[in-house]
């Protein structure tokens, strides 16, 4: 329950056994179903965070970076394309009594030079509103580029929709030298903007098992992948 002396925008999220408090302002997005799924996947594999150096690509409100620290990450660097969003993420870290090592304004994975090798890459890649002709661009780029960020044995954890083509992602992970497993899976109703995003539904119809229709409602499946870079 929110008390009267807390900002009206403060929202609390429970990812067992952690409560994370988030204030939203400016360009920061409210956590989406993809974001909820990723967080629920994270708490199912706490060992991959414990004592690890982590980078989150596209941190948004900071909810996943904060959770990574609560799960025992040794350090975390966050990135976002917007300084305003990074400032929101830093304020949310303070709200939860944690801190990031660095908060960089970076354009996706375009680091030059790469700051260091990390033990874990964390990401919730854009898809429906990717802003690119190929909506999968960010997923493919994440898989191929994240290898630059880690040594063998490093982890990549991310969430995606069935509409983004699970078999294609799994083939790309294998080609990039990762072994992978699904650590969390959930199904849910389409978000309203799926129906207003030009071409999205028709593109999704071309993906095998991209979505279901149950009682005249459109349903997507979300999966959280944990990928480990092979030696």
């Amino acid at each position: 329950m929110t008390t009267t002396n807390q900002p009206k925008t403060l929202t609390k999220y429970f990812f067992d056994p952690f409560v994370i408090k988030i204030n939203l302002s400016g360009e920061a997005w409210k956590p989406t179903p993809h974001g909820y799924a990723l967080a629920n996947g994270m708490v199912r594999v706490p060992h991959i965070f414990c004592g690890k150096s982590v980078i989150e690509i596209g941190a948004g409100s900071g909810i996943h970076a904060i959770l990574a620290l609560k799960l025992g990450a040794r350090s975390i660097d966050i990135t976002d394309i917007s300084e305003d969003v990074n400032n929101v993420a830093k304020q949310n870290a303070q709200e939860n009594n944690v801190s990031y090592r660095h908060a960089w304004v970076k354009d996706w994975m375009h680091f030059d030079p790469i700051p260091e090798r990390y033990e874990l890459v964390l990401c919730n890649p854009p898809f429906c509103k990717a802003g690119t002709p190929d909506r999968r661009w960010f997923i493919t780029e994440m898989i191929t580029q994240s290898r630059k960020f880690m040594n063998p044995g490093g982890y990549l954890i991310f969430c995606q929709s069935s509409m983004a083509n699970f078999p294609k992602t799994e083939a790309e992970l294998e080609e990039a030298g990762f072994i992978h497993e699904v650590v969390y899976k959930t199904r849910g109703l389409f978000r309203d903007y799926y129906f207003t995003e030009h071409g999205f539904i028709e593109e999704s119809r071309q993906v095998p098992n991209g979505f279901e229709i149950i009682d005249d409602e459109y349903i997507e499946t979300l999966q959280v992948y944990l990928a480990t870079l092979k030696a």
Side-chain angles (χ1 to χ4, degrees), residues 29 66 82 89-90 94 137 154-155 162 174 176 187 207:
W29 278 40
I66 293 164
S82 165
K90 286 188 284 188
Q94 292 176 354
W137 185 87
Y155 296 111
S162 50
E174 291 167 9
R187 296 155 74 206
V207 177

Side-chain angles (χ1 to χ4, degrees), residues 10 50 69 98 133 150 176 205 212 221 223 229:
L10 184 71
C50 190
L69 289 165
V98 298
M150 63 179 69
R205 291 186 194 279
E212 303 169 76
T221 298
Q223 290 186 170
L229 186 60

Side-chain angles (χ1 to χ4, degrees), residues 51 57 70 74 82 105 130 141 159:
I57 309 298
K70 288 181 176 287
R74 182 175 78 251
S82 165
V105 178
E141 184 83 352
C159 180

Side-chain angles (χ1 to χ4, degrees), residues 40-209:
N40 280 306
M42 290 169 66
V43 297
R44 282 161 172 76
V45 286
H47 62 281
I48 71 169
F49 294 93
C50 190
K52 301 295 195 302
S53 62
V54 181
I55 184 167
E56 181 174 16
I57 309 298
S61 67
I63 193 167
H64 300 113
I66 293 164
L67 180 57
L69 289 165
K70 288 181 176 287
L71 286 166
R74 182 175 78 251
S75 65
I76 188 162
D77 296 341
I78 68 166
T79 76
D80 205 280
I81 196 171
S82 165
E83 185 171 0
D84 176 66
V85 173
N86 264 356
N87 287 336
V88 171
K90 286 188 284 188
Q91 292 165 9
N92 284 328
Q94 292 176 354
E95 188 73 53
N96 290 273
N97 300 311
V98 298
S99 61
Y100 317 128
R101 188 175 59 172
H102 299 293
W104 289 312
V105 178
K106 295 286 187 181
D107 181 9
W108 191 235
M109 290 182 148
H110 299 156
F111 290 116
D112 188 19
I114 294 168
E116 65 175 79
R117 299 279 177 167
Y118 294 88
E119 294 167 293
L120 190 148
V121 176
L122 170 64
C123 188
N124 184 16
F127 180 60
C128 176
K129 291 184 174 290
T132 61
D134 176 9
R135 296 183 203 273
R136 274 192 54 89
W137 185 87
F138 285 99
I139 297 171
T140 299
E141 184 83 352
M142 173 193 64
I143 291 169
T144 57
Q145 296 295 327
S146 62
R147 299 177 74 239
K148 298 178 181 178
F149 290 69
M150 63 179 69
N151 291 316
Y155 296 111
L156 167 64
I157 187 168
F158 65 97
C159 180
Q160 81 161 66
S161 168
S162 50
M163 292 183 287
N165 198 325
F166 293 145
K168 189 167 185 177
T169 291
E170 291 164 10
E172 288 179 352
L173 285 167
E174 291 167 9
E175 184 177 347
F178 288 95
I179 57 174
H180 60 82
E181 61 181 308
V182 174
V183 296
Y184 182 74
K185 183 174 183 177
T186 188
R187 296 155 74 206
L189 293 165
F190 275 23
R191 285 172 266 176
D192 290 343
Y193 69 79
Y194 287 2
F195 298 101
T196 59
E197 180 68 13
H198 179 70
F200 183 64
I201 300 298
E202 287 308 311
E203 290 172 28
S204 299
R205 291 186 194 279
Q206 308 308 311
V207 177
N209 303 311

Side-chain angles (χ1 to χ4, degrees), residues 17-31:
F18 302 106
V19 174
I20 298 178
K21 294 168 284 185
I22 295 293
N23 273 304
L24 295 176
S25 62
E27 302 172 21
W29 278 40
K30 179 181 178 181

